[in-house]
């Protein structure tokens, strides 16, 4: 058997970069000593106090480390020797700069910018050359940026490739990244590649907030950001609004975000999620017990999805702001949601407009909120086909919510009777009440008077909206007289119909059609009994 022993000399590679944390701390200690002890430089320029020296030594090391690390990532030299040399040179240079400024100036170094935002100005495409210029501040050694916003600028492939190494160098310091509306107008293939580039560049960063809204992601876009999403372990805020989040995309979101234990804000809005998508999103919600702000509005969720979301939300005991507007939960979804709401004790803002709740769902929710300990400040239940039947439950609910600031029950069918009940429950106390919207509720003079009576008792009240009703001219004048000391609080009445003519005419037409139909039925019945006699 042949001897396979390799007698050739072996080479060993020793990595000099990055330095360990103890090494970095040791350098800080030495610089502190150099800045505060007696040396030829401190004799010439003056020594710093111990506190000043420590503060400046930490800042110098941080700046030098960032510069050297950036150099190493861009031009790796194998063992990191050149990075170490740059690290040492930067420290020496900065120590001298601090000493030359003197002890007084050294005590208060200028604060570093933390927010980098290129979203201002007109929406525009950017390519490589412009990206080089725009992103130049992010390349500066020792910059302190923790938040970046690239919204409102559409990145092409060239610009994305310029941004890639810059973002990669900032992974350890970025906390907030806003990439909303950053590929607008790009062909799908290019947009997906840009997303992949950004996802890879930011992979492993310690983000607390990520905004990917307004990018028409769909399932492909969500998966293009998969590398980044999978790597996030400290995420507290996630925004996926107006992103074409379909059923499949929602499943991808649920699959690709494994770590949501720290999530506090989760926003979906204006998507195509539907019932099945809502079931997938509910899985994310179940894994997010710390969520305090949940928005799933205008997402085409029906009764089944509404029930799934409601059940998932039961685990979010700290919920403060809940927005489910513009879906089709229906009465069944409303009843299911009421069971969840009854267990909340921190809820301050509730947006439940245009959910097709009807009286059954509205009553269940009002009763649940009444019994809960939640200090409700905003309650919106507009456009839910609520009639006077649910008015007493709503009145009882708002009566006990003394923190109430805004009440919106517009576009329902409460009429005078329901409006008066609710208004009376608001007359006393409720010192923080500033906004009431009872527009488009078939309210006449009595309801308008009752609401004005509430307003005149509230110091600091800002807006009463009773437009789109059928208040008579006399009723309008009476309300204006009641509010003559604060006329600015009464909203526009341009859509008010003083005579209620349109509604009454429709009713009259329906009555006439009914009578005509009854007459036709009676005539047809008599004709059937009529016998024709040829002799006549």
């Amino acid at each position: 058997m042949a001897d396979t022993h390799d007698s050739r000399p072996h080479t060993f590679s020793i990595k000099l970069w990055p330095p360990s944390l103890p090494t970095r701390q040791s350098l800080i200690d030495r610089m502190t000593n150099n800045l505060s002890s007696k040396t030829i430089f401190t004799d010439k320029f003056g020594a710093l106090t111990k506190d000043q020296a420590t503060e400046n030594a930490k800042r110098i090391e941080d700046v030098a480390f960032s510069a050297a690390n950036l150099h190493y990532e861009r031009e790796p030299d194998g063992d990191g020797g050149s990075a170490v040399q740059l690290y040492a040179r930067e420290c020496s240079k900065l120590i001298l700069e601090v000493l030359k400024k003197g002890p007084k100036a050294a005590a208060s170094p200028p604060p570093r910018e933390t927010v980098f935002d290129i979203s201002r100005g007109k929406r525009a495409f950017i390519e490589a050359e412009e990206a080089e210029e725009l992103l130049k501040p992010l390349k500066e050694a020792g910059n302190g940026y923790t938040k970046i916003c690239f919204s409102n600028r559409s990145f092409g492939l060239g610009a994305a490739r310029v941004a890639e190494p810059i973002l990669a160098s900032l992974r350890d310091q970025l906390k907030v990244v806003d990439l909303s509306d950053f590929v607008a107008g790009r062909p799908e293939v290019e947009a997906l590649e840009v997303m992949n580039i950004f996802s890879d560049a930011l992979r492993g960063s310690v983000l607390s907030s990520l905004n990917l809204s307004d990018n028409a992601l769909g399932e492909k876009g969500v998966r293009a950001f998969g590398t980044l999403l999978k790597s996030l372990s400290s995420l507290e805020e996630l925004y996926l609004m107006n992103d074409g989040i379909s059923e499949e995309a929602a499943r991808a979101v649920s699959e690709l975000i494994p770590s949501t234990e720290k999530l506090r804000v989760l926003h979906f809005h204006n998507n195509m999620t539907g019932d099945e998508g809502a079931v997938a999103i509910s899985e994310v919600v179940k894994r997010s017990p710390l969520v305090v702000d949940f928005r799933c509005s205008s997402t085409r969720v029906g009764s089944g999805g509404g029930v799934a979301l409601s059940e998932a939300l039961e685990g979010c005991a700290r919920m403060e702001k809940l927005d489910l507007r513009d879906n089709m939960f229906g009465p069944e979804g409303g009843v299911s949601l009421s069971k969840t709401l009854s267990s909340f004790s921190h809820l301050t803002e509730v947006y439940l407009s245009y959910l097709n709740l009807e009286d059954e769902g509205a009553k269940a929710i009002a009763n649940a909120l009444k019994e809960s300990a939640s200090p409700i400040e905003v309650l919106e239940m507009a456009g839910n086909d609520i009639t006077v039947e649910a008015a007493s439950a709503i009145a009882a609910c708002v009566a006990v919510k003394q923190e109430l600031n805004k009440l919106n029950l517009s576009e329902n069918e409460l009429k005078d009777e329901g409006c008066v009940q609710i208004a009376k429950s608001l007359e006393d106390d409720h010192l923080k009440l500033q906004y009431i919207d009872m527009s488009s509720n078939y309210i006449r003079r009595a309801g308008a008077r009752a609401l004005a009576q509430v307003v005149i008792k509230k110091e600091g009240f800002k807006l009463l909206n009773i437009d789109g009703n059928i208040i008579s001219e006399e009723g309008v004048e009476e309300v204006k007289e009641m509010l003559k000391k604060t006329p600015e609080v009464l909203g526009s009445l341009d859509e008010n119909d003083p005579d209620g003519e349109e509604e009454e005419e429709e009713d009259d037409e329906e009555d006439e059609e009914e009578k005509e139909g009854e007459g036709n039925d009676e005539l047809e019945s008599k004709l059937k009994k009529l016998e024709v006699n040829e002799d006549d």
Side-chain angles (χ1 to χ4, degrees):
M1 186 174 180
D3 184 4
T4 58
H5 177 70
D6 188 351
S7 60
R8 289 174 296 176
H10 292 276
T11 58
F12 296 92
S13 176
I14 300 174
K15 287 284 185 182
L16 301 176
W17 192 265
S20 66
L21 288 177
T23 299
R24 294 179 65 182
Q25 184 57 50
S26 177
L27 180 60
I28 291 171
D29 294 341
R30 287 202 302 274
M31 288 192 292
T32 299
N33 188 57
N34 289 337
L35 289 167
S36 58
S37 302
K38 181 176 177 62
T39 67
I40 56 173
F41 295 108
T42 55
D43 282 345
K44 182 176 180 180
F45 301 112
L48 276 60
T49 66
K50 196 71 174 177
D51 288 343
Q52 290 173 349
T54 301
E55 182 181 346
N56 278 277
K58 288 178 180 178
R59 180 177 62 84
I60 289 169
E61 192 280 332
D62 182 50
V63 170
F65 178 84
S66 297
N69 196 51
L70 188 61
H71 167 81
Y72 179 73
E73 289 190 358
R74 288 184 177 175
E75 301 176 17
D77 56 1
D79 64 356
S82 62
V84 172
Q85 290 175 8
L86 177 61
Y87 184 45
R89 285 199 307 272
E90 285 293 307
C91 286
S92 297
K93 181 182 75 174
L94 294 171
I95 286 174
L96 193 56
E97 286 180 4
V98 168
L99 288 173
K100 284 181 178 179
K101 290 178 181 177
K104 187 174 181 182
S108 53
R112 295 187 293 176
E113 287 287 332
T114 60
V115 179
F116 180 79
D117 187 351
I118 60 172
S119 66
R120 298 178 184 85
K122 291 182 178 179
R123 198 179 192 192
F125 285 77
I126 60 170
E127 302 303 337
E129 188 175 346
E130 187 179 359
E132 285 278 7
E133 186 63 30
L134 274 174
L135 305 184
K136 191 179 290 183
L138 293 176
K139 298 166 70 174
E140 294 176 0
N143 74 75
Y145 295 115
T146 58
K147 175 180 178 179
I148 59 170
C149 178
F150 288 176
S151 182
N152 204 39
R153 299 299 179 98
S154 181
F155 280 72
L157 273 177
R161 290 185 178 120
V162 169
E164 184 177 15
I166 297 173
L167 293 177
S169 72
L170 299 174
R171 282 178 189 153
D172 294 337
Q173 68 188 63
L174 288 177
K175 301 297 182 186
V176 179
V177 170
D178 184 347
L179 298 179
S180 59
D181 193 25
F182 87 122
V183 288
R186 300 288 179 180
E188 182 183 280
V189 173
E190 182 180 20
L192 290 173
E193 191 166 348
V194 169
M195 292 176 192
N196 271 307
I197 289 171
F198 273 77
S199 177
D200 287 341
L202 291 166
R203 175 185 54 197
S205 45
V206 287
L207 301 185
S208 61
S209 178
L210 177 63
N211 189 346
L212 300 177
S213 301
D214 303 309
N215 284 311
L217 294 175
E219 183 185 6
K220 291 179 182 177
V222 171
R223 294 196 179 279
F225 274 108
T227 303
L228 171 60
L229 294 173
K230 284 181 179 179
S231 72
L232 298 175
S233 59
S234 302
L235 199 63
E236 296 180 14
E237 299 180 6
L238 177 62
Y239 302 89
L240 293 168
M241 299 183 286
N242 193 30
D243 267 332
I245 302 294
S246 60
E247 173 188 333
E248 295 77 14
R251 287 200 186 106
V253 170
S254 180
E255 171 194 333
L256 295 171
I257 311 181
S259 262
T260 57
E261 294 85 357
K262 297 181 181 179
L263 205 61
R264 299 179 71 255
V265 179
L266 181 57
H267 278 202
F268 293 86
H269 167 69
N270 197 28
N271 285 303
M272 306 178 294
T273 312
D275 275 359
E276 292 302 319
V279 171
I281 297 304
S282 71
E283 292 302 314
V284 179
V285 174
K286 285 178 184 176
R287 303 195 298 265
S288 311
L290 300 185
V291 165
V292 297
D293 182 351
F294 180 64
R295 184 179 186 187
C296 194
S297 51
S298 302
T299 47
R300 306 184 186 182
V301 176
S303 178
V307 170
L309 283 173
S310 299
E311 291 175 351
L313 287 166
E314 286 181 14
C316 303
R318 303 184 186 186
M319 187 68 67
E320 296 173 8
K321 183 177 179 179
L322 181 63
D323 186 350
L324 300 170
R325 283 174 286 190
D326 192 23
N327 286 299
M328 292 295 289
F329 278 31
E332 183 183 354
V335 171
S336 178
L337 181 61
S338 70
K339 296 172 185 175
T340 299
L341 295 177
S342 63
S343 64
F344 289 163
S345 57
H346 303 284
L347 203 58
T348 58
E349 298 180 36
V350 194
Y351 301 91
L352 305 177
S353 297
Y354 309 106
L355 289 177
N356 195 34
L357 295 174
E358 300 180 7
D359 286 332
E360 182 185 355
K363 284 193 290 185
I365 287 170
N367 289 333
L369 289 175
K370 176 194 170 188
E371 297 303 321
S372 78
S374 292
I376 304 296
E377 296 173 11
V378 177
L379 177 59
E380 292 197 5
M381 295 176 70
N384 275 305
D385 296 323
I386 302 172
T387 72
V388 65
E389 182 184 333
S392 59
I394 295 174
C397 171
V398 298
V400 299
K401 299 301 176 183
Q402 291 297 317
E403 300 296 315
L404 196 64
N405 175 267
K406 180 179 181 180
L407 177 64
N408 183 355
L409 294 168
S410 63
E411 297 184 52
N412 285 302
E413 301 174 26
L414 289 165
K415 300 184 178 179
D416 275 359
E417 186 181 348
C419 179
V420 169
Q421 289 184 55
I422 294 167
K424 285 190 176 298
S425 70
L426 294 168
E427 276 190 21
D428 299 324
D429 301 321
H430 291 90
L431 303 179
K432 298 180 181 180
L433 189 62
Q434 293 183 323
Y435 302 91
I436 296 177
D437 191 342
M438 282 283 196
S439 57
S440 302
N441 260 294
Y442 303 110
I443 295 171
R444 295 180 184 271
R445 184 175 183 174
R449 273 181 50 85
L451 289 170
Q453 189 64 38
V454 173
V455 172
I456 59 178
K457 293 184 177 181
K458 309 300 177 191
E459 185 178 347
F461 195 89
K462 292 183 177 178
L463 181 64
L464 171 63
N465 186 1
I466 50 174
D467 204 7
N469 286 302
I470 47 177
I471 307 164
S472 65
E473 291 181 359
E474 293 80 3
V476 169
E477 291 305 315
E478 191 172 4
V479 168
K480 287 182 176 179
E481 177 62 24
M482 293 173 72
L483 300 176
K484 63 183 179 181
K485 291 184 178 179
T486 54
E488 70 282 357
V489 305
L490 183 61
S492 168
L493 290 169
D494 291 345
E495 300 298 321
N496 181 61
D497 182 2
D499 303 316
E501 292 176 357
E502 184 179 345
E503 182 67 23
E504 289 175 359
E505 283 175 4
E506 286 177 7
D507 290 342
D508 290 341
E509 285 173 9
E510 288 174 8
D511 289 342
E512 286 176 14
E513 286 173 5
E514 249 181 69
K515 289 175 182 176
E516 187 177 343
E518 289 171 3
N520 288 337
D521 290 344
E522 186 176 350
L523 178 60
E524 187 175 336
S525 176
K526 288 182 179 179
L527 284 173
K528 283 180 181 177
K529 296 177 182 178
L530 182 65
E531 294 180 1
V532 179
N533 191 326
E534 290 182 355
D535 292 340
D536 293 342

